[in-house]
Amino acid sequence: MKKLELGKSGLQVSEISLGCMRMDQLSVQEANRVIQNALDLNIDMFDHADIYGKGRSEEIFAEAIQMSPSVREQMVIQTKCGIRDGFFDFSKEHILSSVEGSLKRLKTDYIDILLLHRPDTLVEPEEVAAAFDELKQSGKVRHFGVSNHNPSQIELLKKNVKQDLIANQLQLSMMFTPMIDAGLNVNMEHDPAIVRDGGILDYSRLHDMTIQPWSPFQHGFFEGVFIDHEKFPQLNEKLQEFADRHQVTKSAIAIAWILRHPANMQPIVGTMNQERLTNIAKATEVTLSREEWYELYRVAGNKLP
Ligand SMILES: NC(=O)c1ccc[n+]([C@@H]2O[C@H](COP(=O)([O-])OP(=O)(O)OC[C@H]3O[C@@H](n4cnc5c(N)ncnc54)[C@H](OP(=O)(O)O)[C@@H]3O)[C@@H](O)[C@H]2O)c1
């Protein structure tokens, strides 16, 4: 498993991170096997959120791994805050109390990276800055970032926030590519030319923020996994052809496609299946050619101008 640096933080993490959104559905023993398998594959970064399983995902993670200072040192833990029941909340009070909850559930005294989960239109950057200062000074959070944010929302935060924002978690898969489409269709009159994210891909590269693609196997908004889906026969045929060529699985090719982009992205995969994760991890050994990358983009249903 190769490593990448998150932003310009100096923090080196595995190129693939394990998303723990669905961990609440496992038993403690199953969760233990999933986490241990990830660590054996040298996947050392785990993505959480205060809301996953209403807090149960963080809790079972710590229980399963029997969290202790020596266990904690082997891993990089990221969690998120700001989504509440029916609204978003980037107030200082909520950020601080959310982190306290995560620390307690994760049985740790620090979070490596805290992300603001989804933009809050009532955000007051001064409040976020005050919360981040307190969390940084107390050592409770080491690094900060965002999720589902566009460039101007990041700039607005930066008006007051002093810490570097090192990562932005955004939906991206071979079958969900708005951030890529717009840049390929500049000044055209059809749908793919619509900039839906303020140009986040180029912004992230210019500002050294790591994009963390979430749901890298889903099409649409949680509409299902495209691998082996009967609706996408040509894509699956091509994935199989490249999988055979590179001696990996189709899932590994889908992740290699993301890793091939020079934006230095870190996909967050959500499988809780050990065999699948073991196969997906092989993606970091595959470098797709430029031709292969574009062929997959086209067979996924995209047209080039
Ligand atoms: N920031 C945000 O707003 C946001 C939103 C959503 C998710 N996330 C993060 O991103 C992580 C990944 O999201 P996700 O779980 O939706 O993404 P995903 O990795 O695209 O999907 C994983 C799901 O697909 C299933 N699956 C079925 N066939 C598969 C195959 N061939 N290869 C891989 N998976 C297959 C898995 O089941 P098995 O477990 O049975 O393999 C699992 O339920 C989450 O855990 C969370 O940490 C962030």
Side-chain angles (χ1 to χ4, degrees), residues 9 95-96 99 109-114 128-144 161-164 166:
S9 63
I95 294 171
L96 294 180
V99 168
D109 48 17
Y110 70 95
I111 303 292
D112 291 285
I113 310 121
L114 176 72
V128 175
F132 282 11
D133 283 346
E134 208 169 305
L135 292 168
K136 180 80 183 169
Q137 275 154 24
S138 62
K140 289 179 180 171
V141 175
R142 296 190 172 172
H143 301 278
F144 299 87
V161 169
K162 292 194 230 41
Q163 296 77 18
D164 266 355
I166 64 173

Side-chain angles (χ1 to χ4, degrees), residues 283-297:
T284 69
E285 291 155 30
V286 174
T287 306
L288 295 175
S289 68
R290 189 176 287 266
E291 288 83 352
E292 287 172 325
W293 191 94
Y294 273 101
E295 205 171 338
L296 286 169
Y297 178 76

Side-chain angles (χ1 to χ4, degrees), residues 87-302:
F87 61 110
F88 303 109
D89 190 349
F90 287 1
S91 65
K92 178 183 176 191
E93 192 190 358
H94 177 67
I95 294 171
L96 294 180
S97 75
S98 168
V99 168
E100 286 305 325
S102 290
L103 291 173
K104 208 164 152 205
R105 288 187 293 272
L106 287 162
K107 295 192 171 68
T108 178
D109 48 17
Y110 70 95
I111 303 292
D112 291 285
I113 310 121
L114 176 72
L115 306 184
L116 298 173
H117 204 156
R118 196 165 261 289
D120 171 16
T121 192
L122 303 184
V123 61
E124 287 161 285
E126 309 85 327
E127 289 248 336
V128 175
F132 282 11
D133 283 346
E134 208 169 305
L135 292 168
K136 180 80 183 169
Q137 275 154 24
S138 62
K140 289 179 180 171
V141 175
R142 296 190 172 172
H143 301 278
F144 299 87
V146 294
S147 167
N148 303 307
H149 276 60
N150 71 26
S152 47
Q153 291 168 327
I154 296 167
E155 288 299 315
L156 179 62
L157 288 169
K158 281 188 180 176
K159 219 177 130 188
N160 297 84
V161 169
K162 292 194 230 41
Q163 296 77 18
D164 266 355
L165 298 174
I166 64 173
N168 189 5
Q169 206 169 106
L170 295 152
Q171 187 174 5
L172 174 69
S173 78
M174 209 175 263
M175 294 222 61
F176 187 92
T177 52
M179 75 168 79
I180 289 170
D181 306 338
L184 286 169
N185 291 276
V186 174
N187 205 28
M188 311 281 295
E189 286 184 318
H190 56 179
D191 239 35
I194 297 169
V195 179
R196 298 174 198 276
D197 55 27
I200 195 63
L201 179 58
D202 295 334
Y203 176 89
S204 306
R205 296 181 76 177
L206 282 165
H207 294 270
D208 295 313
M209 282 181 85
T210 299
I211 292 178
Q212 298 177 329
W214 57 262
S215 292
F217 300 106
Q218 311 270 338
H219 63 101
F221 188 70
F222 294 115
E223 279 176 47
V225 170
F226 57 80
I227 308 271
D228 292 328
H229 196 301
E230 56 188 21
K231 245 172 91 182
F232 311 114
Q234 283 160 325
L235 172 62
N236 275 286
E237 245 170 65
K238 191 53 72 184
L239 282 169
Q240 190 61 59
E241 183 191 322
F242 289 180
D244 293 343
R245 185 183 296 168
H246 292 279
Q247 298 186 314
V248 293
T249 59
K250 288 185 278 192
S251 301
I253 295 293
I255 295 300
W257 184 83
I258 290 173
L259 293 173
R260 174 61 179 81
H261 198 285
N264 198 34
M265 301 192 203
Q266 184 198 34
I268 316 280
V269 303
T271 182
M272 293 287 110
N273 174 310
Q274 291 178 65
E275 191 186 340
R276 236 173 226 153
L277 188 64
T278 304
N279 287 325
I280 289 168
K282 297 195 177 116
T284 69
E285 291 155 30
V286 174
T287 306
L288 295 175
S289 68
R290 189 176 287 266
E291 288 83 352
E292 287 172 325
W293 191 94
Y294 273 101
E295 205 171 338
L296 286 169
Y297 178 76
R298 283 187 278 113
V299 83
N302 300 295

Side-chain angles (χ1 to χ4, degrees), residues 49-63 67 79-80 97-108:
D50 54 356
I51 55 164
Y52 292 164
K54 297 196 164 98
R56 181 63 190 147
S57 292
E58 290 181 330
E59 213 168 55
I60 197 173
F61 181 88
E63 275 174 42
M67 191 63 85
T79 194
K80 318 185 201 72
S97 75
S98 168
V99 168
E100 286 305 325
S102 290
L103 291 173
K104 208 164 152 205
R105 288 187 293 272
L106 287 162
K107 295 192 171 68
T108 178

